[in-house]
């Protein structure tokens, strides 16, 4: 017994407990008792003895949340105490008891982690998480924020206690199923390239539209929300956050962006270009978000796949535009458009190009230059360097229209009547300009292009008037100084009547579809006819030639009222007008 009180100096130094060691074991004992108190209250005895999954109640339910967080604090204190004793006295028998208790608590915490994830699927829906991350969002955040905080506390506790694998396994299992279910609800179907190739265009169109609707939601909400949740829950373990996010989203994200590549590889026809552009534009607009959300090295495949989709789609779009251009050049119909109206090819091509112009921004990153240069004066002014200064979209769309106009010029030669060919050219070019002015094409091509081509319409109309009405106008023309013999003058008037009626007859079936251009053209013709007729009537006092006079100069415009409507009405259908006594005073009014 004396030895117990009078040990050797060395033995005394070994056996005398150090203050810190005594404190560590005391702290460990307190932590064990506190943890046991919680486990007795919240975990059944069956669980303690047989690791049953049965629990008395959920410790992280809304009404018990405070207790749940205390439980995590108690476990953290136990873990801290275990570490302290392990450092100073790794042989302490209290450590075995503490480790067994920690294992029991961790198994329960793992189940609570699962329960919180599972029972709050709606509150933790990635879309909801993403929306709540927006500062201006009015969505109530108290309950959801508490849930996310609970998950973060549990995850931190499990990872720091050496139960990272259990925590991550549970998290991935629940969250991956949510992503898959969400994609399914959005109607996105993972089709192989072989299946896509077999789809008819109507079915293909439906699948592309589903993809377009789903992708915006998936990127902006689903994947974004999942990234936010992963980063929050595993905020103290970035590597764990990356691992979880990558495994949860990678397969779905790759599948999402493999679909556009399959679309790009399908049979390429002009009617598919706009949906293809929609797919390209969607990915292009979302690319900054894709790069931000999938910024991890482990998710680089998603970024590369999205970029590869854009490249494939871009090549396809260029090919489609080239094919469309070739189809214009190859159009070989020989049918004559009645009355010189707008050719169906003009309508088709311009509607196509107008829609293309709506994708101006997307096309800027897609279209390549045409192999052939545009004419130096194509855009008006002195733009000899238009190929260098104008954007690719401007030159490419301008080139498509030029190919159309060249084809229309070729088709104008089908008409045997030269005047009608000029009217055909004017009608079609005017239609092209009107489509440009009423769409985004005006922004793309510019005002100078419009002015330049409007001038060409005027030139066509001037040539039309000269050919169509030239003989009528020259029949009454003279040098103004020579006075014709009455019989010669009468013959001139007869020739005018015949020429006018013949010109009217020929043109009665001709059309000018645009009402403004139609009225302008009639007014121009009427003014020229009225001017020439009035001078002649005044010069030769034709009021005495009642058997010859058929038309009053100032009323010539009225005779033209039905012209350019394609009615087929002839001048004989219009009542001839002979001067009456009351009308003689007006007969020689020039009206110009």
């Amino acid at each position: 017994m004396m030895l117990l009180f009078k040990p050797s100096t060395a033995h005394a130094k070994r056996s005398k407990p150090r203050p810190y060691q005594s404190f560590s074991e005391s702290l460990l004992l307190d932590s064990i008792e506190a943890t046991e108190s919680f486990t007795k209250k919240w975990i059944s005895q069956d669980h303690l003895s047989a690791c049953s999954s049965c629990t008395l109640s959920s410790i992280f339910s809304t009404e018990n949340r405070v207790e749940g967080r205390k439980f995590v604090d108690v476990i953290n204190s136990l873990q801290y105490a275990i570490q302290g004793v392990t450092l100073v006295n790794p042989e302490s028998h209290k450590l075995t008891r503490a480790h067994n208790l920690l294992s029991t608590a961790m198994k329960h915490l793992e189940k609570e982690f699962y329960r919180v994830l599972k029972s709050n699927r709606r509150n933790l829906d990635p879309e909801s998480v993403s929306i709540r991350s927006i500062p201006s969002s009015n969505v109530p955040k108290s309950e959801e924020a508490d849930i996310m905080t609970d998950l973060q506390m549990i995850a931190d506790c499990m990872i720091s206690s050496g139960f990272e694998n259990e925590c991550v396994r549970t998290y991935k299992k629940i969250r991956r199923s949510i992503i898959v279910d969400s994609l399914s609800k959005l109607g996105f179907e993972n089709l192989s390239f072989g299946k896509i190739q077999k789809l008819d265009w109507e079915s293909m169109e439906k699948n592309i539209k589903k993809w377009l609707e789903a992708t915006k939601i998936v990127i902006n909400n689903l994947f974004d929300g999942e990234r936010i949740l992963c980063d929050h829950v595993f905020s103290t373990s970035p590597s764990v956050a990356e691992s979880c996010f990558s495994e949860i989203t990678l397969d779905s994200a790759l599948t999402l962006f493999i679909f556009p590549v399959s679309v790009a590889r399908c049979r390429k026809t002009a009617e598919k270009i706009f949906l293809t552009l929609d797919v390209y534009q969607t990915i292009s607009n979302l690319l900054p978000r894709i790069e931000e959300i999938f910024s991890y090295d482990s998710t680089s495949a998603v970024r590369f796949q999205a970029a590869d989709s854009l490249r494939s789609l871009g090549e396809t779009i260029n090919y489609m535009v080239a094919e469309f251009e070739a189809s214009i050049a190859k159009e070989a119909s020989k049918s004559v458009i009645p009355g010189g109206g707008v050719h169906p090819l003009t309508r088709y091509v311009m509607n196509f190009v107008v829609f293309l112009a709506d994708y101006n921004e997307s096309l800027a990153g897609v279209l390549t230059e045409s192999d052939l240069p545009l004419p130096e004066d194509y855009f008006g002014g002195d733009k000899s360097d238009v190929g260098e200064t104008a954007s690719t979209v401007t030159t490419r769309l301008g080139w498509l229209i030029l190919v159309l106009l060249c084809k229309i010029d070729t088709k104008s030669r089908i008409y045997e009547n030269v005047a009608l060919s000029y009217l055909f050219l004017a009608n079609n070019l005017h239609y092209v300009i009107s489509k440009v002015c009423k769409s985004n094409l005006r922004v793309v091509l510019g005002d100078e292009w419009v002015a330049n081509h409007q001038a060409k319409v005027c030139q066509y109309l001037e040539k039309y008037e000269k050919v169509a009405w030239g003989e009528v106008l020259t029949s009454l023309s003279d040098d103004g100084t020579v006075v014709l013999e009455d019989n010669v003058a009468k013959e001139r008037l007869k020739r005018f009547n015949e020429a006018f009626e013949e010109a009217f007859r020929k043109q009665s079936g001709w059309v000018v579809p645009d009402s403004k251009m139609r009225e302008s053209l009639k007014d121009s013709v009427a003014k020229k006819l009225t001017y020439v007729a009035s001078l002649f009537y005044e010069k030769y006092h034709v009021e005495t030639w009642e058997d010859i006079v058929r038309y009053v100069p100032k009323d010539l415009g009225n005779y033209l009222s039905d012209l350019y409507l394609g009615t087929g009405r002839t001048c004989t259908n219009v009542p001839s007008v002979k001067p009456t006594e009351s009308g003689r005073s007006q007969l020689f009014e020039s009206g110009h």
Side-chain angles (χ1 to χ4, degrees):
M1 294 295 294
M2 291 297 294
L3 290 175
L4 293 176
F5 294 98
K6 293 183 180 181
S8 65
T9 304
H11 185 269
K13 288 182 178 179
R14 283 197 306 272
S15 61
K16 184 178 180 181
R18 290 181 294 178
Y20 181 78
Q21 182 179 11
S22 176
F23 173 76
S24 297
E25 292 197 337
S26 175
L27 181 61
L28 178 59
L29 185 59
D30 290 343
S31 296
I32 289 173
E33 291 174 352
T35 305
E36 286 180 340
S37 175
F38 263 94
T39 57
K40 289 176 182 178
K41 180 178 180 181
W42 294 102
I43 307 175
S44 68
Q45 292 301 314
D46 289 338
H47 177 79
L48 290 173
S49 60
C51 296
S52 169
S53 60
C54 177
T55 59
L56 296 176
S57 179
S58 173
I59 198 172
F60 280 94
S61 60
T62 303
E63 62 273 14
N64 296 323
R65 177 167 285 121
V66 174
E67 286 289 288
R69 293 180 179 179
K70 286 181 180 179
F71 184 49
V72 172
D73 289 339
V74 167
I75 296 174
N76 285 333
S77 296
L78 178 62
Q79 172 64 14
Y80 176 78
I82 290 174
Q83 292 173 351
V85 173
T86 302
L87 288 173
V88 299
N89 187 10
E91 302 299 328
S92 173
H93 69 278
K94 295 184 178 68
L95 287 175
T96 301
R97 179 184 175 191
H99 279 300
N100 289 337
L101 184 59
L102 181 63
S103 178
T104 298
M106 281 296 111
K107 289 178 180 178
H108 179 67
L109 206 55
E110 179 185 353
K111 290 178 172 58
E112 285 292 333
F113 193 56
Y114 178 89
R115 188 202 65 79
V116 174
L117 286 168
K118 186 77 172 178
S119 62
N120 289 284
R121 286 173 66 101
R122 179 172 296 181
N123 290 328
L124 295 176
D125 174 74
E127 183 175 356
S128 302
V129 173
S130 179
I131 292 173
R132 288 195 298 273
S133 69
I134 302 173
S136 60
S137 175
N138 295 320
V139 179
K141 301 181 181 181
S142 57
E143 178 64 19
E144 290 81 358
D146 283 338
I147 295 168
M148 291 174 70
T149 300
D150 291 344
L151 291 172
Q152 181 186 27
M153 290 180 67
I154 296 172
D156 288 348
C157 182
M158 293 184 71
I159 292 171
S160 64
S161 299
F163 287 78
E164 176 182 318
N165 291 339
E166 292 80 357
C167 176
V168 169
R169 182 179 61 242
T170 299
Y171 186 86
K172 289 177 180 178
K173 179 180 179 181
I174 297 296
R175 298 309 300 175
R176 188 186 293 114
S177 67
I178 292 176
I179 294 293
V180 172
D181 289 347
S182 297
L183 282 172
S184 178
K185 289 177 181 177
L186 288 171
F188 176 71
E189 186 177 358
N190 182 16
L191 297 174
S192 66
F193 175 68
K195 289 183 178 179
I196 291 175
Q197 285 284 70
K198 295 177 182 178
L199 293 176
D200 57 40
W201 175 237
E202 185 178 353
S203 300
M204 183 69 169
E205 189 175 12
K206 289 179 180 178
N207 276 279
I208 292 176
K209 288 180 178 179
K210 284 182 181 179
W211 184 92
L212 290 169
E213 294 174 1
T215 299
K216 295 172 186 177
I217 298 173
V218 168
I219 297 299
N220 287 323
N221 298 328
L222 197 64
F223 290 150
D224 180 55
E226 194 57 47
R227 175 65 189 265
I228 291 169
L229 190 61
C230 279
D231 287 348
H232 182 86
V233 173
F234 302 105
S235 57
T236 59
S237 304
S239 61
V240 175
E242 177 178 353
S243 171
C244 287
F245 179 74
S246 176
E247 289 197 32
I248 290 168
T249 62
L250 189 61
D251 288 345
S252 295
L254 289 175
T255 299
L256 192 70
F257 293 116
I258 287 173
F259 177 78
V261 177
S262 298
V263 172
R265 291 169 58 192
C266 287
R267 183 171 175 270
K268 302 169 182 64
T269 55
E271 68 269 15
K272 296 178 181 179
I273 191 170
F274 298 109
L275 272 178
T276 306
L277 272 165
D278 286 335
V279 175
Y280 179 93
Q281 186 170 268
T282 296
I283 299 176
S284 181
N285 291 342
L286 290 172
L287 195 58
R289 297 290 293 124
I290 294 169
E291 292 175 345
E292 179 184 358
I293 294 168
F294 295 93
S295 59
Y296 292 130
D297 289 341
S298 59
T299 56
S300 60
V302 178
R303 303 196 301 273
F304 295 149
Q305 185 62 59
D308 186 57
S309 296
L310 283 180
R311 181 191 59 76
S312 298
L313 290 166
E315 291 174 355
T316 298
I317 291 166
N318 262 301
Y319 181 87
M320 289 177 172
V321 172
E323 284 295 297
F324 178 70
E325 178 185 322
S327 71
I328 302 172
K330 293 175 183 176
E331 204 280 339
S333 66
K334 300 292 183 180
S335 58
V336 175
I337 303 304
V342 179
H343 199 283
L345 179 66
T346 304
R347 297 182 188 277
Y348 172 68
V349 171
M350 287 312 299
N351 286 335
F352 188 95
V353 178
V354 164
F355 282 127
L356 277 182
D358 290 335
Y359 294 89
N360 181 21
E361 293 183 4
S362 294
L363 288 172
V366 174
L367 291 182
T368 56
E369 292 283 358
S370 176
D371 294 334
L372 299 174
L374 286 165
E376 293 183 355
D377 63 344
Y378 185 63
F379 288 93
D382 298 321
K383 292 190 176 180
S384 58
D385 58 345
V386 65
E388 298 176 4
T389 59
S391 72
T392 303
V393 178
T394 299
T395 55
R396 195 67 186 273
L397 297 190
W399 179 259
L400 288 177
I401 295 176
L402 180 60
V403 173
L404 167 66
L405 294 178
C406 289
K407 178 59 65 172
I408 292 301
D409 183 72
T410 300
K411 291 184 179 299
S412 71
R413 298 168 196 170
I414 299 175
Y415 292 97
E416 295 180 359
N417 189 299
V418 177
L420 183 55
S421 70
Y422 282 126
L423 187 64
F424 172 76
L425 288 170
N427 279 330
N428 281 269
L429 182 53
H430 185 273
Y431 179 85
V432 169
I433 295 170
S434 67
K435 295 295 284 187
V436 169
C437 291
K438 295 175 182 178
S439 69
N440 197 44
L441 272 173
R442 181 151 198 160
V443 177
V444 174
L445 299 177
D447 291 337
E448 286 192 53
W449 184 96
V450 173
N452 187 36
H453 287 77
Q454 283 176 333
K456 289 183 179 180
V457 173
C458 293
Q459 292 172 10
Y460 288 143
L461 291 176
E462 287 172 2
K463 291 178 180 179
Y464 154 75
E465 288 185 25
K466 184 176 181 180
V467 176
W469 295 98
E471 186 177 349
V472 181
L473 294 170
T474 56
S475 64
L476 295 180
S477 300
D478 55 38
D479 60 9
T481 59
V482 178
V483 177
L484 302 174
E485 296 291 335
D486 279 358
N487 61 331
V488 176
K490 288 180 180 180
E491 286 301 317
R492 284 282 189 93
L493 184 57
K494 289 178 181 179
R495 193 167 69 189
F496 169 79
N497 293 337
E498 292 171 356
F500 178 77
E501 290 168 3
E502 177 62 17
F504 192 100
R505 182 190 65 77
K506 285 183 178 179
Q507 299 177 64
S508 62
W510 298 3
V511 295
V512 177
D514 182 81
S515 60
K516 190 174 290 186
M517 189 172 101
R518 181 169 63 246
E519 294 305 316
S520 176
L521 180 59
K522 286 193 292 187
D523 185 60
S524 176
V525 173
K527 283 182 178 179
K528 290 180 175 66
L529 291 174
T530 300
Y531 177 74
V532 172
S534 296
L535 289 178
F536 186 88
Y537 278 39
E538 289 177 6
K539 186 174 183 178
Y540 293 101
H541 306 287
V542 299
E543 68 271 16
T544 59
W545 303 348
E546 295 184 6
D547 57 332
I548 300 176
V549 175
R550 295 185 185 179
Y551 308 104
V552 177
K554 79 182 195 65
D555 287 336
L556 284 172
N558 294 332
Y559 288 99
L560 303 179
S561 61
D562 287 340
L563 208 58
Y564 310 126
L565 293 173
T567 60
R569 183 176 180 180
T570 62
C571 208
T572 55
N573 299 127
V574 181
S576 297
V577 177
K578 292 187 177 182
T580 61
E581 288 301 324
S582 60
R584 287 183 188 277
S585 61
Q586 300 176 355
L587 179 60
F588 302 105
E589 293 180 6
S590 63
H592 61 275

